[in-house]
């Protein structure tokens, strides 16, 4: 295995200074929300400016640490005193907000409906609330849409955007295009045609007769009403979705891919990397999160474990002669062998992790490994510590990428 190398903190600083938007993406549960918050805190502390982290459904303790109370698109500032309590004098300002799906959908409807009356009708439609909140792919779109809006407002120097826990991380990248497709889809056409013409197509008549009996004509009417109203927003939605897509491709935007080095998230991260490059989206930073300590793969640790295992009997005798306990030497010897064996197993996992990290770290900006931090990273001090690791600060013991 080749010697470990550190990423150059200046490279990350350069990257962050050149960007206005960082989109954290990756598989479910790998640490996107935590990493986005840690990076935003690190930038606010070191580079200055106004930095906003837009989180999606943060764990309760993290939300508390960021001062996020309940839902709402409103941003809150993390007071300088909180940084100071964590031993840091920040150069800039850190803000946090939580993505509020309901509020964001309603704002979109108000913006794109042709008039206030139509907007009111859509918002009051019984299906609207259900569909807009449960439409899981809508979550991806809303996250990107909200990002666009915040960027347009221009109140922040850097936006770090967390993304929803998606079953398929790739969905996020195609969310704006899918929204455009939806408006030209046959599904939408089909849903609205019968009502529009008031003449039920003969071929579909049996279906409507059954649907009418099972669902009731009121529900069918609500469905048709909703989609007809929804179509009135077509132009605005399509234009907006393509503006969102342009922002994702803008030179001022970069992606932060977060992954753990376990087999499944690792494979998904490789796919995500390929998908970003295929779509010409810039991947500036890869964070391998919750990795095992690099000391596990040191050749000398391996030799020590082998020696421990080979000398288990002698060691056990020595310990019992020294009166280390009442335990018989054979029990102690077995425990020593188990410990050495477990170490070797961990070492094997750590070796696989570093191979995967090497595979993942080719052909993009900066790769950082963040060790598993026992206890959750759920207060500002923990976030700043993780941020320091991401930054590659000396003394914060970043786990370095092998090259
Ligand atoms: N380096 C770390 N060390 C220890 N725990 C961590 C680390 N990074 C994240 N965690 C913990 O892992 C859990 C998942 O993290 P997080 O919520 O950030 O993941 P996520 O990718 O945003 O998940 P989701 O896809 O559900 O949104 C949290 O409990 C968090 O505190
Ligand atoms: Mg999350």
């Amino acid at each position: 295995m080749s010697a470990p190398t550190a990423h150059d903190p200046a490279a990350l600083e350069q990257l962050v200074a050149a960007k206005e938007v960082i989109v954290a993406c990756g598989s479910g549960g790998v640490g996107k929300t935590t990493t986005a918050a840690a990076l935003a805190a690190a930038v606010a502390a070191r580079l200055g400016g106004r930095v906003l982290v837009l989180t999606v459904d943060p764990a309760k303790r993290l939300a508390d640490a960021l001062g996020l109370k309940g839902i709402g698109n409103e941003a809150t500032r993390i007071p300088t005193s909180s940084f100071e309590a964590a031993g840091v004098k920040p150069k800039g300002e850190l803000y946090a907000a939580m993505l509020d799906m309901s509020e964001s959908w309603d704002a979109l409807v108000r913006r794109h409906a042709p008039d206030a009356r139509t907007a009111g009708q859509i918002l009051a439609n019984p299906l609207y609330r259900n569909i807009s909140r449960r439409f899981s792919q809508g979550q991806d779109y809303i996250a990107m849409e909200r990002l666009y809006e915040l960027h347009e407002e221009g109140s922040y120097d850097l936006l770090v955007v967390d993304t929803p826990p998606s079953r398929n991380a790739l969905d996020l990248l195609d969310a704006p295009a899918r929204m455009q497709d939806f408006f030209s889809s046959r599904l939408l056409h089909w849903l609205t045609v019968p009502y529009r013409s008031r003449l039920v197509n003969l071929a579909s008549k049996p279906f409507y007769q059954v649907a009418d009996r099972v669902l009731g004509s009121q529900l069918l009417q609500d469905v048709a009403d909703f989609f007809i109203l929804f179509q009135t927003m077509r132009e605005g939605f399509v234009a907006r979705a393509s503006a969102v897509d342009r922002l994702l491709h803008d030179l001022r935007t970069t992606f932060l891919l977060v992954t753990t080095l376990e087999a499944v998230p690792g494979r998904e991260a490789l796919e995500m990397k390929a998908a970003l490059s295929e779509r010409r989206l810039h991947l500036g930073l890869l964070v391998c999160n919750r990795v095992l300590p690099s000391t596990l793969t040191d050749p000398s640790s391996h030799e020590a474990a082998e020696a421990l295992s080979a000398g288990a009997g002698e060691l056990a005798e020595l310990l019992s002669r020294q009166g280390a306990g009442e335990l018989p030497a054979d029990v102690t010897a077995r425990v020593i062998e188990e410990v050495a064996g477990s170490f070797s197993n961990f070492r094997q996992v750590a070796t696989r992790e570093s191979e995967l990290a090497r595979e993942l770290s080719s052909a993009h900006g900066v790769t950082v490994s963040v060790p598993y931090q026992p206890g959750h990273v759920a207060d500002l001090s923990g976030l700043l510590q993780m941020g320091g690791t991401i930054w590659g600060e000396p003394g914060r013991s970043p786990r370095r990428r092998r090259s």
Side-chain angles (χ1 to χ4, degrees), residues 336-353:
I336 294 172
E337 279 183 47
E338 290 282 346
V339 169
S342 300
F343 184 90
S344 297
N345 291 339
F346 272 114
R347 185 174 182 277
Q348 264 182 22
V349 178
T351 306
R352 270 204 302 274
E353 282 197 350

Side-chain angles (χ1 to χ4, degrees), residues 1-5 292-298 350-351 354-355 357-359 361 369 399-403:
M1 203 158 295
S2 47
T5 57
L292 287 169
S294 57
T295 47
L296 281 171
T297 52
D298 282 352
T351 306
S354 66
E355 280 160 5
R358 206 165 38 240
E359 193 178 344
S361 64
S369 291
R399 183 177 179 215
R400 279 122 194 223
R401 164 162 67 88
R402 284 155 182 78
S403 56

Side-chain angles (χ1 to χ4, degrees), residues 25-36 56-59 61-62 162-166 258 260 288-291 370-378 386:
C25 59
S27 307
V30 292
K32 297 178 294 292
T33 308
T34 314
T35 306
V56 180
D57 210 6
R61 287 183 58 196
L62 183 61
D162 176 27
T163 52
S166 172
V258 185
T260 60
C288 301
N289 192 25
R290 296 196 303 239
V291 297
V370 176
Y372 181 84
Q373 309 202 330
H376 294 292
V377 197
M386 184 171 176

Side-chain angles (χ1 to χ4, degrees), residues 98-377:
M98 211 187 294
L99 184 73
D100 184 330
M101 292 293 292
S102 312
E103 205 180 304
S104 304
W105 268 110
D106 294 357
L108 255 187
V109 168
R110 280 194 205 95
R111 182 176 313 115
H112 296 309
D115 49 60
R117 193 167 151 265
T118 316
Q121 283 176 314
I122 296 173
L123 297 175
N125 185 285
L127 275 185
Y128 165 73
R129 299 211 101 65
N130 250 312
I131 291 181
S132 59
R133 276 79 180 155
R134 291 172 197 208
F135 173 39
S136 67
Q137 296 189 341
Q139 266 213 342
D140 289 326
Y141 179 73
I142 286 294
M144 296 301 98
E145 154 71 35
R146 182 83 189 111
L147 157 67
Y148 176 80
E149 195 177 309
L150 284 163
H151 187 255
E152 284 291 284
E153 278 170 26
S155 313
Y156 300 96
D157 298 293
L158 179 70
L159 300 168
V160 184
V161 190
D162 176 27
T163 52
S166 172
R167 254 174 302 128
N168 179 1
L170 295 177
D171 282 348
L172 171 83
L173 306 179
D174 300 327
R178 252 197 329 266
M179 185 54 84
Q180 294 177 51
D181 289 349
F182 175 69
F183 278 96
S184 47
S185 70
R186 287 175 59 179
L187 173 67
L188 188 59
H189 185 69
W190 181 82
L191 283 164
T192 51
V193 152
Y195 178 86
R196 217 192 298 151
S197 63
R198 300 247 176 210
L199 287 171
V200 175
N201 173 321
L202 272 185
S204 59
K205 201 169 180 184
F207 167 78
Y208 281 103
Q209 282 171 347
V210 173
D212 195 42
R213 237 178 291 133
V214 176
L215 304 170
S217 51
Q218 186 54 49
L219 180 65
L220 289 177
Q221 182 84 30
D222 285 345
V223 171
D225 280 349
F226 170 68
F227 284 105
I228 283 165
L229 288 167
F230 204 72
Q231 257 195 339
T232 63
M233 302 189 293
R234 176 193 180 117
E235 220 171 280
F237 257 83
V238 169
R240 182 78 167 196
S242 77
V244 171
D245 201 43
R246 274 199 304 280
L247 175 62
L248 295 185
H249 286 86
D250 196 286
L251 280 178
R252 292 165 295 176
T253 301
T254 193
F255 281 76
L256 151 64
L257 176 55
V258 185
T259 186
T260 60
L261 293 175
E262 294 145 301
V264 175
R267 197 178 57 238
E268 287 177 3
L270 282 168
E271 286 169 14
M272 188 79 181
K273 240 189 114 167
L276 285 166
S277 131
E278 216 172 88
R279 289 161 179 75
R280 301 187 177 282
L281 294 164
H282 183 256
L283 173 59
L285 177 61
L286 169 77
V287 170
C288 301
N289 192 25
R290 296 196 303 239
V291 297
L292 287 169
S294 57
T295 47
L296 281 171
T297 52
D298 282 352
S300 48
S301 321
H302 175 56
E303 282 163 25
E306 299 258 283
L308 198 62
S309 175
E314 274 174 63
L315 260 173
E317 290 292 343
L318 191 72
L319 286 169
S320 64
R321 271 206 303 280
Q322 285 180 346
E326 303 292 306
L327 286 171
D330 60 333
V331 175
T332 311
R334 211 168 48 236
V335 171
I336 294 172
E337 279 183 47
E338 290 282 346
V339 169
S342 300
F343 184 90
S344 297
N345 291 339
F346 272 114
R347 185 174 182 277
Q348 264 182 22
V349 178
T351 306
R352 270 204 302 274
E353 282 197 350
S354 66
E355 280 160 5
L356 183 57
R358 206 165 38 240
E359 193 178 344
L360 276 165
S361 64
S362 63
H364 69 266
V366 180
T367 298
V368 183
S369 291
V370 176
Y372 181 84
Q373 309 202 330
H376 294 292
V377 197

